[in-house]
């Protein structure tokens, strides 16, 4: 028997060559040729059985369709017969009026059922046609997937990369049909579920096989490139990179094969996205449909594995880890734009940037390494420092802060790479931001964020404490800080600027955190204790001043004024910060609608109010003690004045009070100074009115003249701070006004009720007080 001719080498496909190479590695394997033949015949038999099974299923589907079509034809024939009979009965000559009424009634009763029957038949026909169409396409997909796995479909080597276009094309057609079914026939859920189940099984084979072939192609390209001998001196220089980029070296047939494989994977991903969008329609999915670009993942994973071997050598030198990671990102990012982005656009993958995906993949790789290797060592070092009282905590703190500095710097570099291409981050929401931020490691470990915030707080506190203890910082003012009105400054000491600078640095550390809730948490943990402790420090200074001299000394008053100025400046600055967009975003975190520093602002406000009240109390207490003899001298209001109608004791009291207030004007900020002198004026008004007009004090013409002189001195003392000082002494002014009333007006009864009093300008005294003052007025003839 003549032996069959062997095929020519060009006719042997690469798959068949690999199959034979795997079975016949040496000459000794030729003895197993019979077993290989048996294996091949078995596979052929399985495929033939599969084809036979598909033929049977197709025949059954055709029979079902034929039966449905016959049933529909019979139903339509019945409808046609009924309509014909109806027509004959209505056109037959000699039909009586009763017959016409009966025909109309029959027509009215039968039409709804006939319409329902027609619609049912039409739906059955549509269902059968759709089911057959879907079954045919799904069968084609299953055949194509089976053929791609066994290598039967790949008859030519040049078509090996185009294998997946056929099943992907069928899958897209199936998805279009299912989308139409959901839109027009949403009740066909079982049909949709059955098709999805079969498609899922095909995709479970197709995607892994496509990825395996893509990885083999990448390996043939020389990916990943070798990282050995990489230097980091060129990172910030203009020297060309030492790492060769295989994507730029692709030529001819190899480039064509890679493009076809790339497009196949992109098409598969877009198909998967469409299927998920259809299946999750009506549910809140947020960014669940968005997955990393598969083709970029296949580039990132092997080069990340190669970089891991270098990372493991630099656990104690994290700066080298960040340097290598950034170098890899920077050296390959241009090829993402020039070579791969056009292919992604060709595959109609909307919303994907290859540059951003490459950076995101490398950032996630670095984040994973930090979470597994670097952070646990820093946590362990921090725990040892916390538990061992003899150890220096500064070493653990320095290690943490150095690592955070590297992470923040790395984020700035990678985000600069994104923006340098003219791209903005698609939407700077938390999900997108986390993909390109190395600080996203804290999103998975909020407990690490708390440790970081506490370390930052301790470091800032240690620096600020030295400044708080330096008395010079309390005596030197900050110039040029403008109030809400006017051009004067807050008169706040330099320590305020030091505190605000420390708080600003902590807030700036929180800005790169890619999560609003975590940013708010970091700021709360790091800044609130510092503000509270500084407030406690100011309270201690004020209490020391109060305890030594009861605030009677000018230096003690200045010390308290400085603390009030600091509180006012801090409060105003925190309120201004809260109006910034950065803090407004945090107001809705955890359902709260208040400012981030709401509690601290209230504490500072309470501190100011408490100590301005105490200053007012001290001034009034001294004024009351000095004016006691003046108020006890009731006879002076009945004596005739000789010379200037002034009371010397009262002038001395006013001189003391005016001096204290003038010193406050130099040391206290304008807003709180206005509060102080107005409070003092109101209290003096009540004190003098009660001491002069209450009781049975009689006023002669000379006494009224003396009171006019005393009150004019009082008003003049406050005229330095307002234009109409008498307005701030309403009870004294109105009492003096009543003393000037003519005796004739009193006889006319002008001051007997509230309405008459208000007409005369008396608004702050009661009728009883008015009657008492008028009763004590002595008119001389």
């Amino acid at each position: 028997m003549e032996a069959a001719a062997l095929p020519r080498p060009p006719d042997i496909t690469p798959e068949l060559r690999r199959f034979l190479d795997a079975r016949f590695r040496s000459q000794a394997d030729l003895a197993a040729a019979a077993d290989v033949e048996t294996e091949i015949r078995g596979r052929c038999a399985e495929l033939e059985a599969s084809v036979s099974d598909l033929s049977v299923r197709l025949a059954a589907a055709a029979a079902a369709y034929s039966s449905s079509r016959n049933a529909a034809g019979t139903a339509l024939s019945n409808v046609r017969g009924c309509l014909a009979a109806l027509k004959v009965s209505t056109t037959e000559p000699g039909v009586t009026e009763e017959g016409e009424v009966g025909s109309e009634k029959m027509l009215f009763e039968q039409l709804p059922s006939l319409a329902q029957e027609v619609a049912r038949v039409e739906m059955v026909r549509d269902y059968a046609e759709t089911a057959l169409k879907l079954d045919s396409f799904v069968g084609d997909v299953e055949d194509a997937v089976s053929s791609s796995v066994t290598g039967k479909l790949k008859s030519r080597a040049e078509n090996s990369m185009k294998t997946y276009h056929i099943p992907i094309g069928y899958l897209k057609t199936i998805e279009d049909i299912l989308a139409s079914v959901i839109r027009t026939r949403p009740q066909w859920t079982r049909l949709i579920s059955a098709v999805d189940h079969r498609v899922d099984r095909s995709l479970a084979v197709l995607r892994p096989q496509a990825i395996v072939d893509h990885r083999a192609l990448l390996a043939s390209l020389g990916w990943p490139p070798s990282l050995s001998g990489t230097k980091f001196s060129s990172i910030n220089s203009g020297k060309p990179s030492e790492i060769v980029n295989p994507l730029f070296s692709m030529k001819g047939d190899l480039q064509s094969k890679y493009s076809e494989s790339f497009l196949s994977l992109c098409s598969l991903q877009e198909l998967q996205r469409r299927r998920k969008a259809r299946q999750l329609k009506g549910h809140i999915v947020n960014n669940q449909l968005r997955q990393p670009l598969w083709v970029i993942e296949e580039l990132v994973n092997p080069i990340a594995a190669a970089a891991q071997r270098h990372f493991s050598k630099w656990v104690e030198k994290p700066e080298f880890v960040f340097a290598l990671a950034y170098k890899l990102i920077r050296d390959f990012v241009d090829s993402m734009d020039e070579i791969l982005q056009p292919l992604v656009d060709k595959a109609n993958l909307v919303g994907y940037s290859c540059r951003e995906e490459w950076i995101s993949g490398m950032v996630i790789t670095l984040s994973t390494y930090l979470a597994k290797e670097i952070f646990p060592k820093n946590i362990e070092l921090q725990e040892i420092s916390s538990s061992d009282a003899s150890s220096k905590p500064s070493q653990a703190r320095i290690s943490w802060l150095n690592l955070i500095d590297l992470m923040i710097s790395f984020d700035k570099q990678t985000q600069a790479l994104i923006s340098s291409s003219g791209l903005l981050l698609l939407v700077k929401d938390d999900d997108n931001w986390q993909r390109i931020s190395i600080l996203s490691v804290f999103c998975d470990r909020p407990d690490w964020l708390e440790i970081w915030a506490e370390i930052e707080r301790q470091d800032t506190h240690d620096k600020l404490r030295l400044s708080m203890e330096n008395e010079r910082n309390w005596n030197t003012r900050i110039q040029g800080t403008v109030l809400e009105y006017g051009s004067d400054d807050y008169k706040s000491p330099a320590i305020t600027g030091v505190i605000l600078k420390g708080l600003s640095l902590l807030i700036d550390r929180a800005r790169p955190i890619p999560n609003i809730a975590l940013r708010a948490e970091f700021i709360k943990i790091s800044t609130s204790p510092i503000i509270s402790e500084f407030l406690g420090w100011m309270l201690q200074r004020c209490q020391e001043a109060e305890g030594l001299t009861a605030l009677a000394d000018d230096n003690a008053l200045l010390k308290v004024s400085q603390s009030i100025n600091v509180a006012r400046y801090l409060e105003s600055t925190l309120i201004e910060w809260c109006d910034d967009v950065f803090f407004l975003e945090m107001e809705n975190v955890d359902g709260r609608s208040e400012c981030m520093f709401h509690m601290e602002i209230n504490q500072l406000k309470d501190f100011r109010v408490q100590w301005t009240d105490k200053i007012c109390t001290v001034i009034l207490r001294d004024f009351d003690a000095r004016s006691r003899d003046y108020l006890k001298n009731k006879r002076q209001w009945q004596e005739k004045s000789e010379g200037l109608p002034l009371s010397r004791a009262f002038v001395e009291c006013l001189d003391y009070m005016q001096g204290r207030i003038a010193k406050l004007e130099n040391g206290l900020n304008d807003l709180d100074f206005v509060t102080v002198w107005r409070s003092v004026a109101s209290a003096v008004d009540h004190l003098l009115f009660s001491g002069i007009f209450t009781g049975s004090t009689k006023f002669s013409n000379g006494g009224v003249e003396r009171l006019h002189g005393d009150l004019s001195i009082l008003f003049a003392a406050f005229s330095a701070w307002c234009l109409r000082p008498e307005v701030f002494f309403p009870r004294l002014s109105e009492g003096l006004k009543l003393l000037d009333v003519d005796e004739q007006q009193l006889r006319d009864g002008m001051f007997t009720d509230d309405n008459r009093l208000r007409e005369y300008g008396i608004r702050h005294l009661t009728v009883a007080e008015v009657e008492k003052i008028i009763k004590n007025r002595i008119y001389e003839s």
Side-chain angles (χ1 to χ4, degrees):
M1 181 178 178
E2 185 178 356
L6 293 175
R8 295 181 302 162
D11 294 335
I12 301 177
T13 63
E15 289 73 20
L16 179 57
R17 187 179 291 109
R18 284 199 296 269
F19 177 80
L20 294 174
D21 290 341
R23 297 304 190 279
F24 302 103
R25 298 180 181 275
S26 64
Q27 189 172 2
D29 293 335
L30 293 175
D35 297 335
V36 174
E37 180 184 3
T38 302
E39 179 184 352
I40 294 174
R41 291 184 182 278
R43 289 192 181 183
C44 292
E46 291 176 1
L47 290 174
E48 290 173 356
S50 176
V51 172
S52 177
D53 179 60
L54 289 174
S55 299
V56 172
R57 288 164 57 190
L58 180 61
Y65 171 70
S66 178
S67 175
S68 299
R69 185 177 62 181
N70 292 336
T74 302
L76 290 174
S77 298
N78 292 336
V79 172
R80 189 181 296 109
C82 292
L83 291 175
L86 180 62
K87 180 178 180 182
V88 170
S89 63
T90 55
T91 57
E92 189 176 285
V95 177
T96 62
E97 184 178 349
E98 292 79 3
E100 292 178 357
V101 172
S103 298
E104 290 178 359
K105 184 177 180 180
M106 181 186 68
L107 177 63
F108 180 77
E109 292 176 350
Q110 290 182 355
L111 275 178
S113 60
L114 289 173
Q116 291 178 0
E117 183 67 16
V118 171
R120 187 187 70 81
V121 171
E122 182 67 20
M123 186 180 68
V124 170
R125 184 180 65 83
D126 288 347
Y127 187 90
E129 290 179 353
T130 303
L132 283 173
K133 191 184 299 183
L134 287 171
D135 184 71
S136 174
F137 282 120
V138 172
D140 291 339
V141 170
E142 291 172 343
D143 289 345
V145 170
S146 176
S147 299
S148 67
V149 173
T150 59
K152 290 251 180 178
L153 189 61
K154 302 177 181 179
S155 57
R156 295 174 60 89
E158 57 268 21
N159 292 333
S160 59
M161 289 297 112
K162 299 182 180 180
T163 301
Y164 302 103
H165 289 335
I166 297 174
I168 290 173
Y170 291 144
L171 288 169
K172 288 182 177 179
T173 304
I174 293 171
E175 189 58 36
D176 292 338
I177 295 174
L178 291 179
S180 176
V181 168
I182 287 180
R183 188 171 57 254
T184 58
R185 304 287 189 182
Q187 67 273 24
W188 292 356
T189 56
R190 292 186 178 180
L191 174 62
I192 297 171
S193 177
V195 173
D196 277 341
H197 179 67
R198 292 177 63 183
V199 169
D200 285 338
R201 287 191 303 178
S202 297
L203 285 175
V205 176
L206 188 63
R207 180 190 170 186
Q209 185 63 35
I211 290 177
V212 167
D213 290 345
H214 188 77
R215 289 175 181 173
L217 186 56
L218 282 175
S220 66
L221 291 175
W223 190 273
S226 175
L227 304 181
S228 59
T230 300
K231 298 179 181 179
F232 309 112
S233 58
S234 63
I235 287 180
N236 297 315
S237 66
K239 296 180 181 179
S241 171
E242 298 105 352
I243 302 178
V244 178
N245 190 344
L247 297 179
F248 279 129
S249 61
M250 289 189 304
K251 301 294 181 183
D253 185 55
L254 197 58
Q255 184 176 9
S256 175
K257 289 179 180 179
Y258 180 77
S259 299
E260 291 295 334
S261 179
F262 189 99
L263 290 173
S264 296
L265 273 183
C266 288
S267 299
L268 269 177
Q269 184 165 6
E270 173 60 15
L271 174 68
Q272 186 78 353
R273 188 200 63 79
R274 287 181 59 195
R275 297 186 73 244
K276 287 296 181 184
R278 170 177 57 80
Q279 293 168 354
L280 296 175
K281 188 177 182 180
H283 300 277
I284 301 176
V285 295
N286 296 328
N287 284 341
Q288 295 177 17
L289 295 178
R290 196 185 193 287
Q291 293 181 334
L293 203 55
W294 295 349
V295 285
I296 302 299
E297 275 190 325
E298 295 307 317
L299 292 172
V300 169
N301 291 338
I303 202 169
Q308 289 275 358
R309 292 190 291 271
H310 293 272
F311 290 168
S312 60
K313 304 174 186 176
W314 302 324
V315 175
E316 302 297 332
K317 296 286 185 180
E319 59 270 18
F320 291 164
V321 174
F322 285 94
L324 176 58
Y326 176 69
K327 182 173 180 60
L328 292 175
I329 292 175
R330 188 201 61 187
D331 288 351
F332 293 100
V333 75
D334 290 337
S335 62
M336 303 298 150
D337 288 338
E338 298 175 16
I339 299 176
L340 303 186
Q341 188 62 46
L343 296 176
V344 170
D345 296 339
K346 184 178 180 180
N348 294 324
L349 270 174
V350 180
Y352 281 98
S353 163
C354 287
R355 172 181 285 260
E356 188 176 317
E357 291 295 319
W358 168 253
I359 294 175
S360 172
M362 294 302 298
V363 165
I364 292 172
T365 298
L366 183 55
S367 298
T368 304
Y369 175 76
L370 293 177
K372 289 183 177 180
E373 301 295 338
I374 304 296
F375 270 101
K377 293 184 180 298
N378 281 274
I379 296 291
E380 183 180 357
L381 185 60
Q382 179 68 19
E383 291 175 351
I384 293 174
S385 299
S386 301
S387 59
D388 188 0
S390 62
S391 64
K392 293 183 178 180
S394 59
Q395 184 60 37
R397 189 186 305 173
I398 290 172
S399 178
W400 262 90
L401 296 178
N402 179 55
L403 178 60
I404 298 300
D405 288 340
L406 290 171
M407 294 173 70
I408 293 175
S409 176
F410 182 82
D411 268 359
K412 290 180 180 178
Q413 290 176 318
T414 54
Q415 291 172 22
L417 284 177
I418 293 178
S419 58
S420 65
S421 65
L423 291 173
L424 295 175
L425 195 59
L426 297 178
V427 179
K428 198 169 183 180
D429 56 51
D430 284 356
D431 292 329
N432 280 331
W433 195 358
Q434 288 174 20
R435 293 173 52 249
I436 62 164
S437 174
I438 195 68
L439 290 172
S440 61
V441 67
F442 293 111
C443 298
D444 299 325
R445 294 299 302 265
D447 54 325
W448 292 355
L449 181 91
E450 294 177 6
I451 296 174
W452 172 29
E454 182 61 26
I455 290 174
E456 293 282 1
R457 184 200 67 79
Q458 292 174 356
D459 186 64
T460 303
H461 172 267
D462 292 346
K463 296 175 182 176
L464 295 179
R465 188 172 186 84
L466 296 175
S467 299
M468 287 189 287
E469 294 174 351
N470 187 354
E471 192 64 28
R472 186 176 180 181
N473 289 329
W474 293 90
N475 298 326
T476 306
R477 286 184 180 177
I478 301 176
Q479 299 296 328
T481 50
V482 181
L483 282 168
E484 286 90 340
Y485 68 91
S487 58
D488 294 330
D489 62 17
Y490 279 101
K491 301 176 182 177
S492 182
I495 186 63
T496 316
V498 176
I499 297 298
L500 287 176
K501 184 178 180 181
L503 295 176
S504 298
L505 290 176
L506 289 174
I507 293 170
D508 289 341
R509 298 287 272 183
R511 291 183 187 275
I513 299 175
N515 181 278
I516 294 178
L518 292 181
R519 287 199 295 273
E521 183 71 14
F522 180 92
I523 293 174
K524 205 68 179 174
I525 294 174
S526 60
T527 61
S528 294
I530 290 179
I531 297 174
S532 298
E533 182 167 350
F534 182 63
L535 189 59
W537 189 275
M538 291 194 298
L539 180 61
Q540 181 181 350
R541 287 176 59 86
C542 292
Q543 288 174 343
E544 289 175 355
E546 183 184 28
L548 290 174
T549 63
L551 299 183
D553 182 65
D554 289 342
N555 291 331
L557 206 60
L558 178 62
K559 205 170 187 178
V560 173
S561 299
Q562 290 171 343
S563 296
I564 293 175
N565 293 343
V566 172
R568 168 67 73 173
Y569 191 13
L570 280 177
E571 177 189 344
S572 176
T573 304
L574 292 179
I575 292 174
E576 182 180 347
W577 285 356
C578 287
D579 291 335
D580 189 83
V581 176
F582 177 73
F583 289 99
L584 290 175
E585 289 180 332
M586 304 179 193
E587 289 189 4
N588 297 322
V589 175
D590 299 331
R592 67 184 179 201
S593 58
E594 59 187 23
C595 172
M596 169 67 64
F597 299 108
H598 177 74
M599 184 177 68
E600 289 77 13
I601 291 172
N602 287 337
Q603 289 174 347
L604 291 167
K605 184 177 181 180
D606 293 342
F607 175 83
R608 282 193 306 100
V609 171
Q610 176 188 356
W611 286 96
T612 51
D613 288 346
K614 285 192 177 185
I615 290 176
C616 294
T617 301
V618 168
I619 295 175
L620 288 172
R621 184 180 61 209
D622 291 344
F623 179 80
D624 180 46
R626 293 171 183 269
S627 64
R628 196 164 296 160
D629 294 338
Y630 168 76
L631 295 176
K632 284 182 179 180
N633 185 6
K634 306 293 184 180
R635 294 181 59 184
Q636 63 181 325
W637 309 120
Q638 301 175 25
E639 298 173 352
K640 187 175 181 180
S641 302
E642 295 180 1
L644 290 175
L646 295 174
S647 299
R648 183 171 181 174
F650 186 66
V651 172
E652 292 176 353
C653 293
L654 288 179
D655 182 62
Y656 164 78
M657 182 178 65
Q658 187 182 29
R660 297 300 301 270
I661 295 177
K663 289 177 180 177
L664 277 176
E665 183 180 14
N666 294 328
L668 198 61
N669 68 84
D670 288 354
L671 290 178
D672 288 308
F673 173 71
V674 169
T675 301
V676 168
W677 76 254
R678 286 186 177 182
S679 299
V680 170
S682 177
V684 168
D685 181 49
H686 283 79
L687 176 65
L688 294 181
F689 182 86
S690 300
I692 295 174
F693 291 101
T694 58
S696 56
T697 305
K698 303 295 183 179
F699 291 91
S700 65
N701 290 343
V704 172
E705 186 178 356
R706 179 185 293 272
L707 185 59
H708 263 289
D710 291 346
L711 293 186
S712 65
I713 295 297
L714 174 65
F715 296 157
F718 283 86
S719 63
W721 307 302
C722 58
L723 295 177
R724 296 178 59 201
E726 61 275 8
V727 174
F728 297 96
F729 300 90
R731 293 171 66 82
L732 287 173
S733 299
E734 292 177 4
L736 186 60
K737 190 174 185 178
L738 289 172
L739 293 178
D740 289 335
V741 173
D742 294 338
E743 189 175 4
Q744 182 61 40
Q745 291 177 314
L746 294 178
R747 292 194 187 101
D748 295 341
M750 291 183 60
F751 305 102
T752 56
D753 59 65
D754 287 337
N755 293 332
R756 300 292 295 274
L757 290 174
R758 295 179 70 83
E759 290 177 5
Y760 195 69
I762 307 300
R763 295 180 173 83
H764 297 85
L765 301 180
T766 64
V767 175
E769 290 173 334
V770 170
E771 290 178 351
K772 193 169 188 178
I773 293 173
I774 293 175
K775 183 179 178 180
N776 290 330
R777 178 69 166 91
I778 300 174
Y779 292 95
E780 301 173 1
S781 56

